[in-house]
Amino acid sequence: APSGEKPGFPATDLSANEDAKSLLAEILEPDAEDLIAYRNGMRHVARLESTRVTDPSAISVSAEASYLITGGLGALGLRVARWLVAQGARHLTLTSRGQPSVEAQETIRQLRHAGADLLMAHADVAIDAEMAALFETMANSMPPLRGVFHAAGVVGYEPIKEITRDAMRTVLRPKVQGAWTLHRLTQGMPLDFFVCFSSIASVWGAKGQAHYAAANHFLDALAHYRRGLGLPALTVNWGPWADGGMASAEAQAWLNRQGVAALPPESAIEALGYLLATEGCQRTVAQVNWPLFKEFYELRDQRPLLEHIQVRPSREMAEETPPEQGSDILRRLETATIHDGPELLATYLQEEVTNVLGIEFSEWPALHQGFFEMGMDSLMAVELRRRLVTHLATALPATVLFDYPNIQDLATHIGDTRFGWTHERPLTKENPQAFPLLDREAIPDDEIDASIAERLARLESLVKS
């Protein structure tokens, strides 16, 4: 721990002036690494690696011990409770800040019918006094505590620039303050399990969830800190759970498009049982289409976090393989003249961008307007790139829309690399008219309709020829 550290708090990554200098050097002279930690003068970088599932050892769940589940009346907490009872546990404490739902009451009834002794505690895990009183009650009325499952949490969805102090506090409290309270109250107990339910948001980030990612990252750090003290700890970076998980329908739809599917609860619980029987401290459990997700994750640049994840071509990637005969637009472009081809290509790109953005024909994007200024997000960028790869039978890097950020630049790049047009008539800043492309921004409003009609007529004659 660094000198002057307050007793009872985990060590910080930056523990000395030398580490601070290293941090400054990382900022001023960055390399490809974007997840870096300095600990005790040593530089660490993050890598996600696959773990081969083997037959686990039997876990130690005792009918003569008690187990605490925070967030115990939520969908995840109740799943854990059912699993513990199935493994032989008979004494559970379930905490919650709210009252049990009808579904929760039915689960509680079933567990009691199965022989479980349940203590229902209306307590806030982030309030020291309430948890201290609960621990005293458990000590007086239940067998010794042998396991803690910290599943309490609050999710939030706000762009980072819009996160208020209250929103930050709401999301951080149950995971950060709650986990630290549990650690402090159990530090002297001979526990078998101390499990924190973390999230994939703290592994590779999540759109609109900077505060949620930070809260879960604290759980990850706490698990490693406890292991350093010789105490049991496991943090599980869960992907979204189906049937009552914390991801909203809108968030899950977004994740599905990235290749992250919801975990079936039965599979998630099976994975939890496996992990508890291993020596792992931090593990990620998620149902991921890795080829699709890696394409999205590395859209802006190569990111080394996933470089150890070996992937096979997915169905989605296989669909990118161009048809043997080529698309209609490809045949038209390959037979177009150097004079007509660039405009045909630009029109095609405008049409594809319009389709991806879901906008009206009258709102066709201008040639020099940035893709992301138009409202295109990363998932749209992936979709657009795939359309171009398939229709034009050409290889395009994942970063192509960042390297060539508007239709004009992209048309120039594809015209050069795919059709060789700019080798004959170079299009540069010094020669902007080499390709006679139509820029809607340059046309007065009263001439737009006439210009479009004229242009379509020219393209129609080109196609017929």
Side-chain angles (χ1 to χ4, degrees):
S3 59
E5 180 187 37
K6 295 181 180 180
F9 284 86
T12 58
D13 280 349
L14 298 178
S15 58
N17 288 336
E18 289 303 315
D19 282 344
K21 292 178 181 178
S22 298
L23 175 61
L24 180 60
E26 295 285 356
I27 295 172
L28 296 178
E29 299 180 9
D31 57 14
E33 301 294 343
D34 57 356
L35 295 170
I36 305 166
Y38 277 88
R39 295 170 184 156
N40 300 320
M42 182 174 293
R43 184 182 194 253
H44 299 263
V45 297
R47 295 292 186 273
L48 196 64
E49 296 185 345
S50 299
T51 300
R52 182 176 298 277
V53 176
T54 58
D55 293 333
S57 305
I59 61 173
S60 176
V61 174
S62 173
E64 304 303 322
S66 65
Y67 301 89
L68 170 65
I69 306 173
T70 69
L73 297 184
L76 275 60
L78 289 171
R79 292 275 183 181
V80 175
R82 286 199 292 265
W83 177 78
L84 283 170
V85 171
Q87 301 304 307
R90 289 297 175 264
H91 304 277
L92 303 180
T93 298
L94 310 181
T95 74
S96 175
R97 294 187 300 167
Q99 297 300 317
S101 64
V102 174
E103 294 79 3
Q105 292 179 36
E106 175 59 21
T107 299
I108 292 167
R109 187 193 67 78
Q110 294 174 2
L111 292 175
R112 284 175 170 159
H113 182 73
D117 174 22
L118 301 183
L119 172 61
M120 314 302 297
H122 188 272
D124 188 334
V125 68
I127 298 179
D128 286 357
E130 292 187 11
M131 294 306 295
L134 174 60
F135 271 70
E136 183 176 355
T137 299
M138 290 191 296
N140 294 331
S141 62
M142 303 188 78
L145 184 66
R146 289 290 182 265
V148 172
F149 295 82
H150 184 33
V154 174
V155 70
Y157 298 97
E158 292 94 10
I160 190 168
K161 65 179 180 180
E162 298 177 10
I163 297 176
T164 64
R165 181 173 297 181
D166 287 343
M168 179 75 77
R169 183 182 297 110
T170 297
V171 172
L172 291 178
R173 278 185 74 256
K175 288 186 177 287
V176 176
Q177 184 62 48
W180 186 252
T181 296
L182 293 171
H183 162 70
R184 184 177 55 80
L185 291 174
T186 63
Q187 195 167 357
M189 298 180 181
L191 297 182
D192 296 322
F193 311 126
F194 188 97
V195 183
C196 290
F197 276 31
S198 184
S199 168
I200 55 173
S202 70
V203 178
W204 53 64
K207 180 182 179 181
Q209 292 188 293
H211 44 0
Y212 186 66
N216 284 287
H217 189 68
F218 178 85
L219 301 181
D220 304 340
L222 178 61
H224 288 280
Y225 174 65
R226 283 180 58 88
R227 283 296 185 94
L229 297 177
L231 300 173
L234 169 66
T235 179
V236 185
N237 300 108
W238 293 109
W241 284 44
D243 301 332
M246 297 186 70
S248 66
E250 182 180 359
Q252 187 56 61
W254 171 265
L255 289 169
N256 287 340
R257 292 174 64 194
Q258 295 181 33
V260 181
L263 283 164
E266 298 78 10
S267 300
I269 286 295
E270 183 180 356
L272 178 63
Y274 166 78
L275 293 176
L276 287 174
T278 68
E279 295 299 319
C281 176
Q282 179 181 1
R283 293 291 184 266
T284 299
V285 179
Q287 186 166 290
V288 183
N289 178 333
W290 288 114
L292 176 58
F293 181 76
K294 286 189 74 172
E295 181 180 6
F296 169 80
Y297 187 71
E298 298 176 351
L299 185 62
R300 292 177 181 269
D301 202 353
Q302 291 297 115
R303 303 177 69 182
L305 174 66
L306 303 182
E307 71 176 10
H308 294 170
I309 300 293
Q310 301 299 318
V311 301
R312 296 178 180 177
S314 67
R315 179 179 179 182
E316 288 83 356
M317 294 187 72
E319 290 174 352
E320 289 187 2
T321 303
E324 291 184 4
Q325 300 301 318
S327 65
D328 178 62
I329 185 62
L330 177 59
R331 288 192 293 271
R332 289 154 61 189
L333 288 169
E334 287 179 331
T335 57
T337 66
I338 188 63
H339 177 76
D340 295 314
E343 185 172 352
L344 178 61
L345 175 59
T347 302
Y348 160 73
L349 292 178
Q350 284 181 306
E351 181 178 1
E352 290 300 317
V353 170
T354 299
N355 290 334
V356 169
L357 291 175
I359 59 179
E360 297 296 329
F361 175 82
S362 61
E363 300 173 347
W364 268 30
L367 298 178
H368 294 283
Q369 185 180 10
F371 291 122
F372 299 96
E373 294 175 7
M374 303 172 189
M376 186 177 294
D377 59 30
S378 297
L379 292 174
M380 293 177 182
V382 170
E383 180 182 351
L384 177 59
R385 174 188 165 273
R386 288 184 172 184
R387 287 172 178 250
L388 303 184
V389 167
T390 301
H391 295 168
L392 303 181
T394 186
L396 295 173
T399 60
V400 66
L401 298 188
F402 291 89
D403 299 334
Y404 306 95
N406 58 52
I407 292 173
Q408 176 75 77
D409 292 345
L410 184 59
T412 300
H413 169 69
I414 295 175
D416 182 9
T417 58
R418 180 65 179 85
F419 303 105
W421 293 330
T422 54
H423 293 161
E424 299 181 38
R425 300 186 63 181
L427 178 63
T428 65
K429 292 181 179 179
E430 293 73 24
N431 184 20
Q433 301 302 321
F435 288 175
L437 304 182
L438 178 66
D439 192 334
R440 184 175 180 271
E441 286 184 339
I443 303 175
D445 291 341
D446 59 352
E447 297 181 14
I448 289 178
D449 292 340
S451 298
I452 291 176
E454 179 184 356
R455 189 177 186 194
L456 290 176
R458 290 173 57 196
L459 291 175
E460 183 179 0
S461 63
L462 173 63
V463 173
K464 291 180 179 179
S465 62

